[in-house]
Amino acid sequence: MDLEEYRTRWHAFAQAWQTERSEDPDSADTLLTDALRGGLTSLSLPETSAEPTPLTLLDCATALVRAADVFETEGYLNANPGVRRAGVDPVRHYCEHGWRELRNPSLEFDGWWYTAEYLDPTQPPENPLIHFLLVGRPDGLLGIPQRISRTPISYAPGHVVRRVCLFAAYDIDGIVDDYVLAYLRELSNYADIYYLADGQMARDELAKLDGITKGAWSIAHGRYDFGSYSLLARDLVGWDVIETYDELLLANDSCYLLRELADVFAEMDRKACDWWGLQATARQFEETPETGPLAPMPLTEVKDRMLPHAVFEYNQFIHVGSYFLSARKSVITDPGFRKRINEVAKQDSKIGIIYRYETGTTQYLVGQGFDFSTYVPDLFPYHPIYGPHAFDLIARGFPLLKRQFLSDNPYDTPDLIDWKERITALIPQAPVEMIERNLRRVAPADRLARSFAIRTNPDGSIDDHQPLSRKAFRALDRVTPKFNHWWAFPVCRYDHTFAGNERAVFEEVRDDPSIKKIILTRSRRVDVSGENVAVVPLESPEGQHYLARSRQIFVKHGPTINVPWPLSTTTHNFVNLWHGIPLKRFGTAALELNAAQHDVVIRNNGGSRAIVTSSRMDALAMNASFFPASYPDLWQTGLPRNDFIVRDDAALPPDLLAAADRLRDEVAGRRLVLFLPTFKDGQADSYYKFTDADIATLADWAERHNAVLGVREHMADRARTYSRMLAPLNPINVSSRRYPDLEVLYRVADALVSDYSSCLVDFMMTGRPVISFAYDHDRYAQAERGLVYDLERVLPGPVCRNFDQFAHALGDVFRERTPDELEEYDWKRGIFFDYIDDQAAARVVERVKRLYIDVD
């Protein structure tokens, strides 16, 4: 019975059970008993078009599990103390939540093992215990693996092991970093390497791998390292090629190579096993204040004591790290192993990947009787490569350093700020400067700062550098003095950049020593200079210190969005700089705002002391959106970020000028057309689906006009759908990761395309062409957000309702405009801009100072 047929029969059974339960509970119990005795196929179910509700499915599943008597209540509650504390029914909890979280109902059933063994994990998930009870058990399927006795593989002395390596990579900037090249060069001495990056990489980046790898690709799939292993094994390399090798090595770029790998491979070639890794880890072998320091446990003892057939929760299994995992021929040819690699599915969280594919792979291979070994001969206390034992391992010859150990410091190892000195004391030739360059580029800046701030105090205690709780911070804010001349600038909540209006206001006062400027960062590194400037993480003790004392706080979206701490809106002045001139409705002007959403918007709006606007007309639109703010709270100063659009090169901040020059180099003499779509609630499901014919039309247009697209998705968009769809056109990536400041893009671009984004209005400052590709105009205007204006009346360019109109507009976009068209452009621009100059930031600064200084 395939999954589709099972799902149909299960739903019909649940509906029949619900009907019987409402009419005759005894008959409903009999139906459960019959189903458990003979399975779904033994039942004659009434035909009905009624589909059971989610509640009916949950009720029926819960009743079925109870009737089957397969649930170990005490074991489940002991493994899940939160369920016990909540006082909820454990059987119902399992049927509603537990199975999805890979919690098991007993030690006789392993839900993920069963799913991977008998079902298709790439399909929408089903409760595996229900399938087992209704289909699997009647058909003789197993609930847990039955271990097979095998003879591990040994290599004869002198045998040259032929290895193939599937290497999984990901780089946030889409580059092949120097540390990866160094790692791959060393690996290539021992294996034929096939490389796959999860994401989009330019051809010249992949070309760096020529002569090092046998094949290199970049495909955005979003399934982490096991997703890359899967695509490589199944599609790009093929099992027929892989099985010609003695070993299959799975490796990824989450590590820095510290020393040569010769000792690792020589040592492992001598060991008898079916598969091996560098080290194993087990959460149940963890140092706590109660246990004190634990001595490493020999691997032979681990195998005797810590390899259960099943557990209640997947973190109770040991696992061998998948960042460097080698399978020998017996595993390579095993159908179950191939099935699990082939069927890697996208998960909602990284922990889902870890449990299903890292822990799950260990559990499967152990369950099949495949013997394993590790380069580190002992099990160190949990987690050895992410805590202080990492340095112990390196001292014993361990070749790798996990980046997350430094960047996130998940177990609060103190004094990591001295990591370079500690590494070079053990390995003098370790490439610590190269490692640091990568760390500073890709590691979240705020987490890295906290990682390095955890220190050992003189008395031996540990300062874990945690911020105050919300309750404690609220109390601190009440008693802390506020300083008018302390101006705080939290970065964007969504893309974590310090750009746009906030950056422009900062630049206006950067060298004013009388104003204390505090930049409050998130994951992005912020490097700015000036007089009396502090740059600290927002969610840190230092960030709380400065916020509590800053009278003026400049936000991009609103007080409750940009600041995570409960600050008083009466003792602090929140100046809402916003992030554009709205064409679409938002806030209290949005369509179909439910009561809960309305309350959230009111709380956010009500905290702003002032809201910056661009014109008198814009102030009216913003007034409708920012209720309960009143019209006098709307400052018609112009948007500070637009200063950077019209300002002379010589007056730009140096980093913006450098970014503009870099973009011009990328454009390379072509005409740049920006494609900047707005955010849609449905994200990928709501975006226009470019067909192959559409892509061909755009490619022809670009070639005829010597044009290139620059693609930048909205800061809140995580789907990145357009970047993938338009990839065949080789567009320029102008994301906020590469170009934080939109104004740089406007300075270089020849035209701009969007749907309903405010960038259509901002770009009018340049006087250059704009196009609205409003393919879903009626739906968006009437159902999703709504529009403030009739686009045809306010935009000085075409509003296209389908692709043909859009293609025609592109064909006409570079035509010289007539005097009448130029006059219309100027008139429409006047709707949105009271000022066409570079003094908006200066006007905002003046208004802020009026709040506390008498200005003539």
Side-chain angles (χ1 to χ4, degrees):
M1 182 186 302
D2 63 24
L3 267 178
E4 184 175 354
E5 182 184 358
Y6 162 74
R7 193 173 290 114
T8 300
R9 285 178 173 268
W10 157 234
H11 284 204
F13 171 78
Q15 185 61 40
W17 173 83
Q18 173 63 23
T19 301
E20 293 289 347
R21 183 173 68 153
S22 62
E23 298 175 356
D24 183 357
D26 290 340
S27 295
D29 292 342
T30 300
L31 187 61
L32 294 176
T33 302
D34 292 344
L36 291 169
R37 181 183 301 115
L40 272 181
T41 56
S42 69
L43 302 178
S44 178
L45 299 171
E47 294 187 6
T48 176
S49 59
E51 182 70 14
T53 66
L55 181 60
T56 293
L57 290 171
L58 175 59
D59 287 345
C60 185
T62 304
L64 189 71
V65 172
R66 283 204 177 92
D69 194 25
V70 294
F71 194 88
E72 296 180 24
T73 299
E74 278 305 303
Y76 190 85
L77 291 174
N78 289 337
N80 303 284
V83 177
R84 188 189 296 274
R85 286 194 299 270
V88 300
D89 175 3
V91 176
R92 191 173 186 85
H93 178 272
Y94 170 79
C95 291
E96 186 172 10
H97 304 290
W99 71 270
R100 299 179 189 275
E101 299 163 354
L102 271 62
R103 306 171 194 260
N104 287 325
S106 75
L107 297 182
E108 297 300 321
F109 185 78
D110 184 331
W112 173 246
W113 180 87
Y114 182 88
T115 298
E117 185 74 6
Y118 301 119
L119 307 180
D120 184 352
T122 64
Q123 297 298 310
E126 291 288 338
N127 185 330
L129 181 60
I130 302 303
H131 186 279
F132 173 70
L133 294 175
L134 295 177
V135 177
R137 189 166 64 176
D139 288 352
L141 303 185
L142 301 175
I144 56 175
Q146 300 298 308
R147 291 180 184 168
I148 303 168
S149 178
R150 301 175 186 267
T151 301
I153 290 178
S154 298
Y155 296 130
H159 176 74
V160 178
V161 180
R162 293 187 65 247
R163 293 184 183 86
V164 59
C165 174
L166 306 184
F167 193 89
Y170 171 78
D171 189 278
I172 193 170
D173 296 318
I175 69 173
V176 180
D177 198 284
D178 289 344
Y179 87 92
V180 176
L181 289 172
Y183 189 9
L184 291 174
R185 285 194 190 97
E186 175 64 10
L187 267 178
S188 69
N189 294 321
Y190 308 96
D192 292 338
I193 303 171
Y194 293 90
Y195 170 103
L196 175 60
D198 179 7
Q200 295 173 339
M201 280 191 174
R203 284 187 286 269
D204 58 348
E205 287 298 322
L206 290 175
K208 294 178 181 179
L209 301 170
D210 292 349
I212 302 175
T213 63
K214 294 290 185 181
W217 300 267
S218 64
I219 301 171
H221 57 75
R223 288 179 286 160
Y224 295 92
D225 49 355
F226 269 90
S228 289
Y229 299 152
S230 180
L231 286 171
L232 284 164
R234 188 187 64 216
D235 301 331
L236 301 173
V237 180
W239 288 106
D240 57 333
V241 172
I242 292 170
E243 68 184 14
T244 65
Y245 291 85
D246 296 319
E247 290 192 5
L248 164 63
L249 175 64
L250 306 178
N252 64 40
D253 64 354
S254 66
C255 313
Y256 301 119
L257 181 69
L258 299 178
R259 50 164 57 103
E260 293 180 352
L261 295 169
D263 288 345
V264 170
F265 288 111
E267 174 69 18
M268 300 315 295
D269 287 352
R270 290 191 289 267
K271 295 189 176 185
C273 61
D274 296 298
W275 60 288
W276 60 269
L278 292 181
Q279 51 77 220
T281 189
R283 180 174 285 277
Q284 65 266 41
F285 189 58
E286 183 174 15
E287 292 177 339
T288 67
E290 290 75 25
T291 66
L294 296 174
M297 182 185 296
L299 193 61
T300 53
E301 185 178 347
V302 171
K303 292 180 181 181
D304 289 339
R305 293 176 47 192
M306 303 180 70
L307 297 179
H309 286 249
V311 293
F312 283 100
E313 197 167 14
Y314 249 60
N315 65 10
Q316 297 172 335
F317 279 126
I318 77 161
H319 78 266
V320 180
S322 66
Y323 59 90
F324 200 99
L325 189 71
S326 195
R328 291 182 176 170
K329 184 76 77 172
S330 55
V331 173
I332 292 173
T333 57
D334 178 68
F337 175 72
R338 291 190 178 190
K339 180 178 187 293
R340 283 157 175 79
I341 296 296
N342 287 343
E343 295 179 345
V344 174
K346 193 169 185 178
Q347 302 298 320
D348 294 333
S349 66
K350 181 66 182 295
I351 197 65
I353 289 284
I354 293 170
Y355 284 175
R356 286 170 173 82
Y357 302 116
E358 290 192 31
T359 306
T361 298
T362 296
Q363 164 67 345
Y364 171 74
L365 294 175
V366 168
Q368 292 300 110
F370 292 114
D371 193 23
F372 71 95
S373 188
T374 54
Y375 175 68
V376 177
D378 303 319
L379 177 69
F380 276 71
Y382 188 86
H383 192 305
I385 58 172
Y386 293 117
H389 286 295
F391 295 106
D392 298 331
L393 294 179
I394 293 167
R396 295 183 177 210
F398 200 77
L400 302 175
L401 175 68
K402 291 288 280 188
R403 179 170 54 220
Q404 191 181 8
F405 173 45
L406 299 178
S407 66
D408 288 38
N409 198 355
Y411 300 101
D412 291 353
T413 301
D415 308 315
L416 274 190
I417 194 169
D418 302 321
W419 70 272
K420 289 196 294 183
E421 291 77 9
R422 297 178 71 175
I423 293 293
T424 53
L426 299 170
I427 310 173
Q429 72 277 15
V432 292
E433 300 302 330
M434 180 172 66
I435 293 171
E436 185 176 50
R437 286 195 299 272
N438 173 261
L439 195 65
R440 287 178 59 83
R441 179 175 66 83
V442 304
D446 49 354
R447 297 210 294 264
L448 186 63
R450 181 184 178 270
S451 172
F452 289 172
I454 300 171
R455 302 301 298 266
T456 304
N457 294 319
D459 63 0
S461 62
I462 305 300
D463 176 7
D464 63 1
H465 208 71
Q466 289 284 3
L468 297 174
S469 68
R470 290 178 59 85
K471 180 179 180 180
F473 180 75
R474 183 180 286 110
L476 174 71
D477 185 46
R478 282 198 296 265
V479 299
T480 300
K482 315 298 184 241
F483 304 114
N484 287 318
H485 64 288
W486 282 34
W487 294 17
F489 297 86
V491 299
C492 177
R493 173 180 175 175
Y494 298 102
D495 63 14
H496 301 182
T497 57
F498 183 49
N501 290 324
E502 314 92 87
R503 174 67 187 276
V505 172
F506 167 82
E507 288 294 327
E508 188 65 26
V509 297
R510 181 186 63 186
D511 296 321
D512 183 347
S514 70
I515 296 175
K516 178 78 172 178
K517 283 83 61 179
I518 303 108
I519 317 302
L520 297 158
T521 66
R522 291 180 184 258
S523 69
R524 294 286 297 271
R525 188 174 306 281
V526 174
D527 294 309
V528 292
S529 60
E531 292 286 334
N532 203 4
V533 175
V535 181
V536 299
L538 174 61
E539 298 191 45
S540 70
E542 296 89 350
Q544 291 183 329
H545 169 87
Y546 282 119
L547 269 173
R549 289 159 176 79
S550 296
R551 180 81 72 188
Q552 325 304 334
I553 303 175
F554 299 86
V555 294
K556 187 172 191 171
H557 300 91
T560 62
I561 295 175
N562 293 115
V563 178
W565 309 114
L567 287 168
S568 167
T569 56
T570 57
T571 58
H572 300 272
N573 292 326
F574 283 93
V575 179
N576 197 325
L577 301 174
W578 200 235
H579 51 278
I581 303 168
L583 287 176
K584 56 183 178 288
R585 293 181 165 202
F586 71 94
T588 49
L591 291 176
E592 299 184 0
L593 205 63
N594 63 41
Q597 292 169 329
H598 184 270
D599 290 343
V600 170
V601 169
I602 290 294
R603 284 197 299 273
N604 189 55
N605 288 355
S608 294
R609 172 68 178 80
I611 301 105
V612 168
T613 66
S614 180
S615 68
R616 285 165 290 181
M617 182 67 76
D618 181 44
L620 292 173
M622 296 287 277
N623 197 28
S625 303
F626 271 94
F627 181 83
S630 61
Y631 193 76
D633 298 329
L634 302 166
W635 294 354
Q636 296 164 34
T637 56
L639 301 190
R641 71 182 191 179
N642 290 339
D643 294 353
F644 294 149
I645 299 176
V646 297
R647 184 165 289 173
D648 292 340
D649 282 356
L652 279 181
D655 59 318
L656 269 67
L657 184 58
D661 290 340
R662 176 162 52 90
L663 180 56
R664 291 188 182 99
D665 288 343
E666 284 199 80
V667 173
R670 295 170 290 178
R671 290 162 156 166
L672 175 62
V673 177
L674 297 174
F675 182 54
L676 276 59
T678 195
F679 178 78
K680 301 288 179 67
D681 290 342
Q683 296 206 34
D685 295 334
S686 298
Y687 298 141
Y688 181 78
K689 306 297 189 295
F690 286 98
T691 66
D692 292 344
D694 294 341
I695 296 297
T697 297
L698 293 174
D700 177 68
W701 162 80
E703 183 176 0
R704 284 187 291 106
H705 292 277
N706 189 32
V708 61
L709 288 178
V711 178
R712 181 190 187 106
E713 276 107 347
H714 190 275
M715 57 188 164
D717 175 28
R718 296 292 177 262
R720 300 293 181 258
T721 305
Y722 283 124
S723 291
R724 291 194 293 272
M725 282 194 291
L726 298 174
L729 301 174
N730 197 26
I732 296 175
N733 173 8
V734 292
S735 67
S736 64
R737 175 76 190 179
R738 301 187 70 232
Y739 293 98
D741 301 276
L742 270 169
E743 300 72 40
V744 166
L745 309 184
Y746 298 158
R747 292 175 72 91
V748 177
D750 296 279
L752 183 144
V753 176
S754 184
D755 36 21
Y756 317 106
S757 170
S758 62
C759 64
L760 287 164
V761 177
D762 294 335
F763 193 71
M764 290 165 64
M765 287 280 286
T766 69
R768 301 181 202 128
V770 296
I771 298 172
S772 169
F773 183 26
Y775 59 89
D776 61 346
H777 179 277
D778 292 344
R779 182 199 67 81
Y780 192 86
Q782 298 170 17
E784 181 164 342
R785 289 289 188 89
L787 296 170
V788 178
Y789 306 98
D790 182 338
L791 298 185
E792 281 90 350
R793 291 181 179 273
V794 299
L795 291 182
V799 178
C800 308
R801 305 299 182 95
N802 56 52
F803 182 80
D804 288 342
Q805 293 177 2
F806 177 48
H808 181 270
L810 283 174
D812 194 49
V813 73
F814 300 122
R815 174 182 57 80
E816 185 176 353
R817 295 319 188 222
T818 67
D820 286 347
E821 288 172 329
L822 293 175
E823 182 179 359
E824 180 187 14
Y825 195 118
D826 287 342
W827 184 86
K828 289 183 175 179
R829 181 164 57 181
I831 296 172
F832 299 106
F833 300 98
D834 284 354
Y835 305 95
I836 307 292
D837 62 15
D838 66 350
Q839 295 301 303
R843 287 187 286 269
V844 171
V845 168
E846 181 185 5
R847 291 296 300 267
V848 173
K849 287 183 176 180
R850 285 184 191 174
L851 297 175
Y852 64 93
I853 299 175
D854 292 331
V855 179
D856 292 333

